[in-house]
Amino acid sequence: MSAAAENEREEQYAYPMPPAGGWTADDLDRIPGLPPHTELIDGGLFFMSPQTYFHMATLRLLENALLDHAPEDLSVIREMTTKLGKRDRPEPDLMVVPRSAITSPDQTWYDPSDILLAVEIVSDDSVERDREIKPRKYAGARIPHFWRVEKSDGLPVVYVYELDPATHSYAVTGIHHNQLKVAVPFPLAVDLTAVSGSRRPATGGRR
């Protein structure tokens, strides 16, 4: 690689140097030139890789199911951040929050105390974060419900967790293949095999 090409590549991927101690959650709204869906974990910036079809289709399937089943006083939020603390501002793929938590059209994040459910769809570049780091931080922030979604034979498998109030850690309450059916945080049933189709599946309507 020529020196000119190397310099051009360095400029293309140049981002601001972090201050001593790392970035803070508030910095994420102020750092210029960040790619969409940048997350902050332990004061470090994490950038999203190009989205796969599986990720997009699974996100759409679960978002539609949550929209169909969520009570009227709840909202389904897609790909927005939550401030878990000074150095942590992850972006769940989906969140369920009270409608009262939506305070402004310019809002960019939600307080964890308002989050009823956080959903993460695991990608190849986020396995450790989605399996270990984020669940631990979401539990520490007292988010009562967490779903981790993984790919198996081209279909989503949903690992469902609920916060144990005694230990403030997550306990797995079910591993769902082919069909996701839960009673909390509200009744929901969805055909996970429909992720491979192009049409929106029937999920039973709002309850």
Side-chain angles (χ1 to χ4, degrees):
M1 179 183 295
S2 67
E6 186 172 350
N7 289 337
E8 182 179 350
R9 182 178 180 183
E10 288 178 356
E11 290 177 3
Q12 181 181 359
Y13 294 101
Y15 294 105
M17 291 295 294
W23 301 106
T24 69
D26 290 334
D27 289 330
L28 209 59
D29 288 324
R30 299 191 289 258
I31 303 172
L34 288 182
H37 310 298
T38 298
E39 298 184 293
L40 184 75
I41 306 291
D42 291 327
L45 298 176
F46 289 85
F47 309 124
M48 301 296 104
S49 61
Q51 184 171 224
T52 64
Y53 175 82
F54 171 81
H55 190 283
M56 179 278 296
T58 300
L59 179 58
R60 180 172 58 191
L61 178 72
L62 294 178
E63 181 183 25
N64 286 339
L66 289 168
L67 287 167
D68 282 343
H69 290 77
E72 294 287 349
D73 61 336
L74 298 178
S75 289
V76 180
I77 305 300
R78 175 174 175 155
E79 297 172 316
M80 291 186 67
T81 60
T82 175
K83 290 184 182 180
L84 301 183
K86 182 179 179 181
R87 291 162 49 84
D88 290 299
R89 191 169 164 183
E91 182 183 294
D93 288 297
L94 293 165
M95 296 183 285
V96 175
V97 303
R99 289 192 180 276
S100 59
I102 302 172
T103 58
S104 164
D106 299 320
Q107 185 172 352
T108 59
W109 60 275
Y110 291 85
D111 192 280
S113 64
D114 287 321
I115 301 172
L116 186 63
L117 167 68
V119 181
E120 293 285 0
I121 302 169
V122 178
S123 301
D124 289 343
D125 66 342
S126 68
V127 173
E128 182 178 0
R129 295 195 302 277
D130 291 340
R131 287 181 178 176
E132 300 178 23
I133 298 173
K134 288 185 180 181
R136 184 177 71 249
K137 290 181 178 291
Y138 291 157
R142 309 295 192 265
I143 295 174
H145 299 278
F146 171 67
W147 298 351
R148 189 184 87 244
V149 186
E150 306 228 9
K151 181 174 66 174
S152 178
D153 295 326
L155 295 176
V157 176
V158 183
Y159 296 76
V160 174
Y161 297 85
E162 190 168 345
L163 190 68
D164 183 335
T167 64
H168 303 301
S169 61
Y170 284 130
V172 63
T173 59
I175 301 174
H176 298 258
H177 300 256
N178 297 325
Q179 183 185 46
L180 171 62
K181 188 173 184 179
V182 295
V184 291
F186 44 80
L188 178 148
V190 58
D191 178 9
L192 297 174
T193 67
V195 74
S196 59
S198 60
R199 66 179 181 85
R200 178 170 173 171
T203 55
R206 186 181 295 278
R207 299 185 180 183

